[in-house]
Amino acid sequence: MNEALSILKDLGFVVEVGPELEDEWYNFDALNFPKDHPARDMQDTFFIKGEKEKVLRTHTSNVQIRFMENLVKIGGKPPFAIVVPGKVFRNESTDATHEMQFHQIEGLVIGEDISVADMKGVLLEFFKKFFGGENVDIRLRPSFFPFVEPGFEIDLRRGEKWIELLGAGMVHPNVLKNCGIDSTKYQGFTFGIDLD
């Protein structure tokens, strides 16, 4: 994690952290996951009953929402690039590629005229530095995540095989609107890497 964060900081990202115990607004609603949306089923989660129901976060995207809301509250505005490391929780059947608790790093870049090409360039540069060489090849495959449009799975070529590494995409305008950011002026990308 430290190596990944160091590379992303060199690429201009600022590290942000936030709570592991969260409410539904930050974990789901603000991220364009309506209560009845089937995408919530993919993240069958751990809820904690109390005066106000809480959830163990299923991704570190909750911190992205908190960051954007706080930025708007203090009168700030894009551009910005943040990276959020942390532990996340999902009700998964444990196997070689799934675990109930794992570590994630999510990046978020918002500004004017940000494109998929910017996202691909940042991710390619990150993987070149992380894997120590110029001979790194990535590909984007279409995928669905409620908080991005379009969404992609990012694969890395290792020899003759492609290995899925992360999900990414252009931030859905609803997410920006939910945080008080003008989605007609600003856009950006986000990505999430499961370090485990």
Side-chain angles (χ1 to χ4, degrees):
M1 185 178 287
N2 288 338
E3 182 182 355
L5 289 175
S6 177
I7 292 167
L8 289 165
K9 287 195 297 191
D10 288 346
L11 292 173
F13 287 77
V14 174
V15 177
E16 294 288 327
V17 295
E20 293 176 1
L21 186 61
E22 193 55 273
D23 65 41
E24 287 187 80
W25 169 254
Y26 293 102
N27 197 76
F28 292 120
D29 300 336
L31 288 158
N32 208 34
F33 281 89
K35 287 196 184 312
D36 60 349
H37 200 288
R40 282 201 189 196
D41 295 341
M42 293 169 33
Q43 296 187 27
D44 187 10
T45 50
F46 297 104
F47 284 92
I48 297 171
K49 302 283 184 193
E51 187 176 311
K52 186 176 180 185
E53 189 173 67
K54 297 282 188 175
V55 62
L56 290 174
R57 69 181 179 189
T58 60
H59 40 217
T60 53
S61 303
N62 65 316
V63 181
Q64 295 178 9
I65 299 299
R66 287 179 174 279
F67 174 85
M68 289 189 283
E69 278 187 349
N70 288 334
L71 182 72
V72 169
K73 281 181 189 171
I74 63 169
K77 57 185 176 183
F80 58 83
I82 64 169
V83 59
V84 183
K87 198 172 2 176
V88 299
F89 309 86
R90 295 186 188 170
N91 187 10
E92 297 271 6
S93 296
T94 303
D95 62 24
T97 60
H98 296 88
E99 186 57 70
M100 290 171 45
Q101 173 186 302
F102 55 95
H103 294 84
Q104 191 174 59
I105 292 181
E106 289 197 29
L108 175 68
V109 175
I110 302 293
E112 295 184 54
D113 302 319
I114 302 291
S115 71
V116 172
D118 297 309
M119 179 187 76
K120 186 175 181 185
V122 166
L123 290 171
L124 187 57
E125 188 63 23
F126 170 78
F127 287 121
K128 283 180 180 177
K129 291 182 179 198
F130 191 78
F131 290 113
E134 290 294 316
N135 192 20
V136 171
D137 192 15
I138 63 172
R139 71 177 179 188
L140 284 65
R141 289 181 293 111
S143 190
F144 172 78
F145 305 102
F147 41 88
V148 295
E149 182 57 41
F152 305 97
E153 297 287 352
I154 310 294
D155 301 333
L156 175 77
R157 185 193 305 267
R158 300 301 279 175
E160 294 300 312
K161 293 186 176 184
W162 290 96
I163 301 169
E164 179 185 322
L165 288 183
L166 64 127
M170 298 301 291
V171 177
H172 197 291
N174 289 347
V175 174
L176 295 175
K177 288 176 198 170
N178 287 338
C179 296
I181 293 178
D182 183 353
S183 64
T184 64
K185 182 174 183 181
Y186 299 107
Q187 63 277 334
F189 63 86
T190 187
F191 58 88
I193 304 168
D194 174 357
L195 292 174
D196 299 313

